[in-house]
Amino acid sequence: MVYKMLSPQYFEQNNLHTIKNILILGDSHLVGDFGEYLHLGLHQNYNCDITSIAIAGAGSMHYVLTMTNFCCGYKIRQSCAYDTLSYGKIKVIESKGYGDSSIVAPQYGGKLRLFLPAVNPDLVLLVLGSNYTNAHQELIEIIRAYNQKIPIIWIGPFKRANIAMRLNLIKPIVKYNKNVHLIRSDDIIGNDSIMMFHFEGKSAREWANKIVERMFQIIK
C-alpha cells in the first residue's frame, strides 16, 4: 500500500493543521514492522514531518542517558509532509542491525535534549514501557525542558506477562504531568507468554492503525 498525504485543504477544513512535526521515541517494536506501519499511518493522517528514533531493548532510561546502540540495533526514520511513502520506503537516516555500543545520533552527542530542538516537534509519541529500564519522569522532564506545553502521547505496552505492573508505572506519569496522554495497546494485540514476540505484517499493521485511530480522539 502507498501512503500519500491528504490535501492541505482537508486539514484546514478539519482543523488538523496545528501539528507540523512529530517525534517518536521507542524500543525494538518501533525498530520493526510496528514502527514502519505507525509512521505510515501518521503520515497518512497528519500534515506533518515525522522523525522516529527506535533503539532495540530500550526503556525510558536509555533516552535520559546518552543514547547508545547497547543491545541489538537501532533505526532513525524520517519523512516530510508531502512525501509519497510505501512499506519499506521510509527514509532511514541512521541504523544498525546489531549492537556495538556506538552513540545513536552522534552529531548530537547522543543527547535527546539536543536532538529535540533540531527536529522541533509539536507532538512527541513514546513507545516505551515494555522493558524494565525505566526513568519515565526524567524523560518527561527532558521533553518539557524543550517545550513546557508540548503534548505527549504514551503508547502503552501490548498484552503480556506483568502488563498491569508495566501500566502502573506509566499511569502516574500521565496523571501528574499536564498534557500527557496514555493510549493503551493491551486490548488491541498481545501475547500472554513470558517470551516477547515482535509483531510483524498484519498484526503490526493492525496495532499501528488502531493507535492512530485512537490518537484522533486526543490530538486533532
Side-chain angles (χ1 to χ4, degrees):
M1 182 178 294
V2 174
Y3 291 78
K4 188 175 179 64
M5 287 303 303
L6 300 171
S7 70
Q9 291 77 17
Y10 174 89
F11 289 91
E12 291 296 328
Q13 292 166 6
N14 292 279
N15 193 32
L16 301 179
H17 59 284
T18 55
I19 300 298
K20 300 296 185 184
N21 203 331
I22 294 176
L23 174 64
I24 317 169
L25 307 176
D27 55 24
S28 53
H29 291 284
L30 196 67
V31 174
D33 269 7
F34 173 71
E36 191 82 2
Y37 285 117
L38 180 63
H39 197 119
L40 290 171
L42 293 170
H43 178 79
Q44 185 182 34
N45 288 282
Y46 288 88
N47 187 23
C48 65
D49 300 339
I50 305 169
T51 302
S52 69
I53 306 178
I55 304 174
S60 52
M61 182 178 292
H62 294 100
Y63 288 95
V64 170
L65 304 173
T66 299
M67 298 182 292
T68 59
N69 180 26
F70 71 98
C71 176
C72 43
Y74 74 98
K75 185 176 291 185
I76 302 180
R77 298 179 177 94
Q78 197 166 64
S79 66
C80 295
Y82 295 104
D83 287 347
T84 298
L85 301 181
S86 60
Y87 177 84
K89 300 298 183 181
I90 300 172
K91 183 179 181 181
V92 177
I93 62 173
E94 190 178 313
S95 72
K96 286 185 179 176
Y98 55 90
D100 63 359
S101 299
S102 60
I103 292 177
V104 174
Q107 63 271 47
Y108 304 101
K111 302 296 185 182
L112 181 61
R113 61 180 178 81
L114 299 179
F115 192 88
L116 280 161
V119 297
N120 195 31
D122 303 297
L123 171 66
V124 175
L125 274 62
L126 304 177
V127 189
L128 296 165
S130 291
N131 300 313
Y132 289 105
T133 44
N134 299 323
H136 293 347
Q137 183 59 38
E138 291 89 340
L139 176 56
I140 297 298
E141 289 171 3
I142 289 174
I143 298 169
R144 289 289 188 239
Y146 155 73
N147 183 335
Q148 282 289 329
K149 297 182 179 180
I150 190 170
I152 299 169
I153 294 181
W154 202 303
I155 299 173
F158 62 91
K159 186 179 179 182
R160 63 171 301 199
N162 298 320
I163 179 62
M165 180 193 70
R166 298 167 200 275
L167 284 171
N168 286 338
L169 293 171
I170 298 170
K171 287 177 179 178
I173 303 303
V174 175
K175 182 176 181 180
Y176 295 112
N177 291 277
K178 291 183 179 179
N179 213 7
V180 179
H181 312 272
L182 172 64
I183 296 180
R184 293 180 63 158
S185 296
D186 51 303
D187 63 332
I188 302 171
I189 192 168
N191 191 301
D192 283 325
S193 168
I194 196 170
M195 299 297 292
M196 178 183 284
F197 292 96
H198 289 74
F199 300 105
E200 299 177 347
K202 182 179 179 180
S203 295
R205 185 172 66 246
E206 176 187 347
W207 181 13
N209 288 348
K210 193 65 176 179
I211 293 298
V212 174
E213 177 186 323
R214 291 179 176 182
M215 277 181 58
F216 265 80
Q217 301 171 20
I218 302 169
I219 303 293
K220 294 185 177 181

